[in-house]
Amino acid sequence: MKKDLSTEEKIKAAAKEVFISKGFSGCSTREIAKASGMNVALVNYYFRSKSELFKLVFHGAMEDFVNSMVNVFSSDAPLEQKIRLVIEAEYDFLSTHPELPAFIVNEMSREEGCQIDTTFFDKILSTGIFDECTKAFEEGRMRKIDMANLTLLIMSNCDFPFMSKNLMKAVHKISDEELNERLIAHKEIVIEMLITYLFPQKTNK
Amino acid sequence: MKKDLSTEEKIKAAAKEVFISKGFSGCSTREIAKASGMNVALVNYYFRSKSELFKLVFHGAMEDFVNSMVNVFSSDAPLEQKIRLVIEAEYDFLSTHPELPAFIVNEMSREEGCQIDTTFFDKILSTGIFDECTKAFEEGRMRKIDMANLTLLIMSNCDFPFMSKNLMKAVHKISDEELNERLIAHKEIVIEMLITYLFPQKTNK
DNA sequence: AACTATTTTAAACAAGTGTTTAAAACGAAT
DNA sequence: ATTCGTTTTAAACACTTGTTTAAAATAGTT
């Protein structure tokens, strides 16, 4: 039968959960220790310091975050389909990891924060998706748009809905369940809106 | 000639700046005191506690945040124009307050966080903008959409670009200036995309 | 001037922070 | 059983945290 998680793994798992939901400065080493069932000394025994442990967690979070996109972009689907699929993939992924975008965006803005490992973004680049877009609008198959703006369009409409869950619940005075239904519907809205905007040559419905 | 700011005002101003850029748990009472040129005791003398001071700052931030929308919605412009204008207003507002959306979204997700004063959102409601939309798509002048989804569409595309500045700079390896140019361009993209999506009856370009 | 209420200060409080220490418990190998 | 390296523990370290105290400085009024 499978062995239990090692102490090191238990701590890292607990750290991931705590860091992602409370942020680096929103939690203490002792809180992570307690959440993992261990004690403070063990945390530093295995990971040297709170910051080192955080770097590991952040790195992992980034990896998860980027991979869900890379998988889609690496496929051999036609461009329009890739855009559809990446939105679907993001919504699916974020349904199980709703706290990730806020975590990443926030921690990237911390002063002492993450001088980030840009390998992640090179991974996106190396899928050739940007070149594919450039070619597509040179051939008139897609609306011309700067890659930064395209990235913003996709991420805004995928990530923000999950980042703003608590705000939305307050604004519209709705429950978690109701909000989740809205999010499911929102995926389709975003897909249609973005596809229509980016590929306007479609002559009609 | 104008008197200097009072001690109380100086502290509140410093608190606003520090809280908004670092978050509640990202800063200390002493940091706020130092930023205002005062000492710790004065902070609690005027504001009772860190939490009380924070509530005040958060309340003010919310007010600013909501007001920029309310002003537009209260105007007598036609609906489509209102949507255009609210996006313009948001981008203008956020250009000078880029940290606000992240601050609000984050602090709304804190555990001990802001059991929020829903007055703010009632203010939006009372502009009648939602009723106006309902009527508009009953008359076929606008695409039918749930109000939560409409709110999400607008806020996603206005707020996220400013929240993700540091992420975007890292992803695309661009400077502040370059990013700001992208944001200016993004405003127009968002306006066209949203208007086209929400008011699709336009027969052509 | 003297008295009062308000404002400011430096110092202290207990509790919490990240981190380290040094000893104990453990596991595997001889 | 003894040794060894690894893992775990409890305790302590120095420092920061939010908050309070009690005295000092200031301003206002008579």
Side-chain angles (χ1 to χ4, degrees):
Chain A
M1 65 181 176
K2 270 287 269 319
K3 255 265 291 302
D4 232 19
L5 284 173
S6 74
T7 302
E8 189 173 351
E9 291 168 324
K10 276 192 239 174
I11 294 175
K12 196 172 166 188
K16 187 171 177 178
E17 190 169 319
V18 176
F19 273 142
I20 288 181
S21 84
K22 305 205 179 188
F24 179 82
S25 44
C27 71
S28 69
T29 313
R30 278 167 179 82
E31 184 176 354
I32 292 172
K34 183 173 281 183
S36 67
M38 305 295 140
N39 64 39
V40 230
L42 283 228
V43 175
N44 282 4
Y45 174 73
Y46 283 106
F47 301 97
R48 281 185 45 85
S49 73
K50 186 188 179 189
S51 311
E52 287 300 315
L53 177 51
F54 179 83
K55 278 185 202 163
L56 241 65
V57 169
F58 186 81
H59 187 96
M62 260 304 191
E63 215 153 30
D64 295 346
F65 189 66
V66 167
N67 278 349
S68 62
M69 303 198 217
V70 170
N71 293 335
V72 174
F73 288 147
S74 318
S75 78
D76 56 356
L79 182 56
E80 181 178 326
Q81 188 65 3
K82 272 188 192 171
I83 306 274
R84 282 178 197 276
L85 287 177
V86 81
I87 298 169
E88 303 246 18
E90 278 300 280
Y91 271 80
D92 287 352
F93 174 71
L94 294 175
S95 295
T96 45
H97 305 80
E99 290 176 311
L100 253 198
F103 173 67
I104 288 173
V105 163
N106 289 330
E107 299 297 339
M108 294 262 334
S109 306
R110 270 230 327 284
E111 295 227 24
E112 329 83 24
C114 330
Q115 63 290 6
I116 199 160
D117 191 347
T118 51
T119 319
F120 297 117
F121 310 128
D122 297 341
K123 257 167 103 177
I124 298 185
L125 240 171
S126 71
T127 63
I129 182 70
F130 290 160
D131 302 334
E132 204 176 338
C133 289
T134 309
K135 188 148 70 154
F137 53 66
E138 273 172 3
E139 293 171 4
R141 291 171 11 240
M142 182 187 180
R143 179 191 295 259
K144 187 161 173 26
I145 186 174
D146 187 279
M147 282 308 114
N149 292 112
L150 177 59
T151 310
L152 268 181
L153 279 187
I154 293 175
M155 292 189 65
S156 295
N157 287 287
C158 292
D159 293 330
F160 185 87
F162 291 89
M163 300 173 72
S164 65
K165 279 179 116 175
N166 288 284
L167 180 58
M168 284 301 144
K169 274 161 58 179
V171 171
H172 293 283
K173 305 189 176 95
I174 55 180
S175 67
D176 252 309
E177 296 74 31
E178 221 168 327
L179 179 60
N180 285 333
E181 281 178 34
R182 287 300 103 223
L183 286 178
I184 293 173
H186 204 66
K187 175 170 73 171
E188 308 301 335
I189 292 175
V190 166
I191 291 176
E192 181 176 350
M193 179 181 71
L194 283 181
I195 294 295
T196 310
Y197 177 78
L198 294 172
F199 305 95
Q201 76 286 10
K202 295 290 178 59
T203 42
N204 54 346
K205 58 172 167 309
Chain B
M1 66 184 176
K2 270 285 271 316
K3 255 264 291 303
D4 232 19
L5 284 173
S6 74
T7 302
E8 189 173 351
E9 292 168 323
K10 276 192 238 174
I11 294 175
K12 198 174 165 186
K16 187 173 178 178
E17 190 169 318
V18 177
F19 273 142
I20 288 182
S21 85
K22 305 206 179 186
F24 180 82
S25 44
C27 71
S28 68
T29 313
R30 278 167 181 82
E31 184 176 353
I32 292 172
K34 183 173 282 185
S36 67
M38 305 293 141
N39 65 41
V40 231
L42 284 218
V43 174
N44 282 3
Y45 174 72
Y46 283 106
F47 300 97
R48 279 186 46 86
S49 74
K50 186 189 180 189
S51 311
E52 286 300 315
L53 177 51
F54 179 82
K55 278 185 202 163
L56 240 65
V57 169
F58 185 81
H59 186 97
M62 261 303 191
E63 214 154 31
D64 296 345
F65 189 65
V66 167
N67 278 348
S68 61
M69 301 198 218
V70 169
N71 293 335
V72 175
F73 288 147
S74 319
S75 77
D76 56 355
L79 183 56
E80 181 179 327
Q81 187 65 3
K82 272 188 191 171
I83 306 272
R84 283 178 197 275
L85 287 178
V86 81
I87 298 169
E88 303 246 18
E90 278 299 281
Y91 271 80
D92 287 352
F93 175 72
L94 294 175
S95 295
T96 46
H97 305 81
E99 290 176 310
L100 253 197
F103 173 66
I104 288 174
V105 163
N106 289 331
E107 299 298 338
M108 294 262 333
S109 305
R110 271 229 330 283
E111 294 227 22
E112 331 83 23
C114 328
Q115 62 289 6
I116 200 160
D117 190 347
T118 51
T119 318
F120 297 117
F121 311 128
D122 296 342
K123 257 166 103 176
I124 299 185
L125 241 172
S126 70
T127 63
I129 183 70
F130 290 161
D131 302 334
E132 205 176 336
C133 289
T134 310
K135 188 149 68 155
F137 55 65
E138 274 172 2
E139 293 172 4
R141 292 172 7 241
M142 183 187 180
R143 180 192 294 260
K144 186 158 174 29
I145 185 174
D146 186 279
M147 283 306 114
N149 293 110
L150 177 59
T151 310
L152 268 181
L153 279 187
I154 294 174
M155 292 188 66
S156 295
N157 288 286
C158 291
D159 293 330
F160 186 87
F162 291 89
M163 300 173 72
S164 64
K165 281 180 115 176
N166 289 285
L167 179 59
M168 285 300 143
K169 275 161 59 179
V171 171
H172 294 283
K173 304 191 178 91
I174 55 180
S175 66
D176 251 307
E177 295 74 32
E178 223 169 325
L179 179 59
N180 285 333
E181 279 177 36
R182 285 301 104 225
L183 286 178
I184 292 173
H186 205 65
K187 176 171 73 171
E188 308 300 335
I189 293 175
V190 165
I191 290 177
E192 181 175 350
M193 180 182 71
L194 282 181
I195 294 294
T196 310
Y197 177 77
L198 294 172
F199 304 95
Q201 77 285 12
K202 296 293 177 57
T203 42
N204 54 347
K205 60 173 172 315

